[in-house]
Each structure stands twice: as C-alpha cells, then as structure tokens.
Amino acid sequence: MYEILKLLLFLLPEELAHQLGIFAVQMIGIAHRFGLWSKPSWSRDHRLQCETPFGKVDSPIGLAAGLDKNAQALWGWQALGFSFAEVGTATPLPQPGNPRPRLFRYVGLRAIVNRMGFNNDGAAIIALRVARAKKQGLKIKVGGNIGKNKETPIEAAPMDYMRAAAALAPHVDYLVINVSSPNTEGLRGL
C-alpha cells in the first residue's frame, strides 16, 4: 500500500504532494476525534514515556518544525502517535515565502530540499489554531518555532522575534527561535 501511495505522490509536483499529505493527516485527525482512528499501540507503551523540558510525554517521538507550518493537522499528529509537534516557522506577519518552485525532490539521493522561505499564516493565526485545539482537548505538546519576516531588516529582527513569541507563547508548551534558515537573507548572522 505504501509503495503505491508513494508512487502516486511522486507523480505530483513536490509542494502539491506536501499539501495532500497535510490534508491526509487532517482527515486522520478528524477520524481520531470521532473514535474512528485509534493511536498505534506502540505510542501507548508506558516504557516509552519520558520527561522533557516541557513536561512528561508518552514517547520521545515528535514532529519537527517545517512540516505543519500553520498548525493545521495537530489532531492528526496525535492520532498517529506523536507526543509533540512543533509548528512554524511562524513570523509576526503572514508571508507567502519564496517564489515557486521552492521544494525539490532528489529521488536518487532520497532527499528533499526545502527553500520555502518561512511561508506561513502568521503567528497570531497559528496561535489561534493551537489554542482552539488545546481547548478542544488536544493532549500532545505543541512547540512554536518563530522567525523574522523576510522584509524585516536584520537590525529589527529582535522585535519580530518578540512579536511572534508574544503571540505564540501563551498557547504553546515551548518556543524555538529559528536563526539558521539559509532561505532568509542575513539570518545566520544573528
């Protein structure tokens, strides 16, 4: 089944395949909320529980930032057995990211190159999605990965980080400051 699905996804442009993947995880999340999808048994094994700086989690398996930038599939990640999901990179203001194409598949190398450029709905919208999911009973930990807007001069970057942190901090379990993206000019200089 996986090989067939992979073949079909590889026929699609990279970014469309990514969007379909997020949509599929959203649908799994809806099924989970209605009792039609149970978490995998491994994710309920007490031996995997561990302490983290942001509290006790059911397992050490989590989702890194960049996949669910806009906190659209939090319930799906919980249904799939993840103990935490890091959303973002979120910037203070929404931004479209870099021009397309910006996601590249190198099948022979089994690699994906991401030059998305912090495309996201903005920290305030992402924070609302996280807050709503938690209010509805989401159990996994959620981290917020924050960055500066592309148009913000590097000298003003600290203010962007403070604005994004102020929006997300009340709703997430931890924050990560992204200062390493090669897709934002001058960012690594911070």
Side-chain angles (χ1 to χ4, degrees):
M1 173 79 166
Y2 169 75
E3 288 300 322
I4 294 169
L5 184 59
K6 179 180 164 185
L7 178 67
L8 292 173
L9 286 174
F10 276 39
L11 293 174
L12 299 173
E14 292 86 338
E15 199 159 345
L16 178 58
H18 172 79
Q19 291 165 348
L20 285 174
I22 291 293
F23 177 75
V25 176
Q26 285 175 306
M27 294 302 103
I28 290 169
I30 290 170
H32 173 64
R33 291 189 65 204
F34 287 104
L36 304 172
W37 182 287
S38 62
K39 284 172 62 173
S41 60
W42 67 263
S43 69
R44 297 187 302 266
D45 187 325
H46 72 279
R47 295 173 297 176
L48 293 175
Q49 291 179 350
C50 55
E51 285 292 333
T52 70
F54 48 87
K56 190 173 188 174
V57 294
D58 290 337
S59 81
I61 308 298
L63 180 76
L67 184 60
D68 190 4
K69 293 173 179 285
N70 292 309
Q72 296 172 301
L74 294 172
W75 286 99
W77 305 124
Q78 179 171 293
L80 290 170
F82 289 86
S83 286
F84 59 94
E86 191 173 303
V87 299
T89 295
T91 54
L93 300 173
Q95 67 180 21
N98 291 329
R100 294 178 188 200
R102 56 193 183 181
L103 191 60
F104 306 91
R105 215 185 266 128
Y106 295 97
V107 178
L109 298 173
R110 298 179 58 151
I112 295 174
V113 173
N114 165 358
R115 294 186 184 135
M116 303 291 269
F118 293 173
N119 57 309
N120 73 99
D121 293 339
I125 298 294
I126 295 168
L128 286 173
R129 289 184 185 133
V130 173
R132 183 174 54 235
K134 287 189 167 203
K135 187 175 182 180
Q136 293 169 340
L138 184 77
K139 300 287 187 242
I140 63 171
K141 304 288 186 181
V142 179
N145 186 298
I146 58 174
K148 78 170 202 69
N149 282 102
K150 184 176 184 174
E151 301 303 320
T152 301
I154 206 72
E155 308 79 46
M159 187 56 68
D160 267 17
Y161 287 105
M162 289 190 316
R163 290 173 53 212
L168 282 171
H171 309 290
V172 296
D173 298 289
Y174 65 94
L175 285 172
V176 174
I177 299 172
N178 190 335
V179 292
S180 67
S181 173
N183 299 309
T184 302
E185 191 175 329
L187 189 65
R188 289 184 174 190
L190 292 175

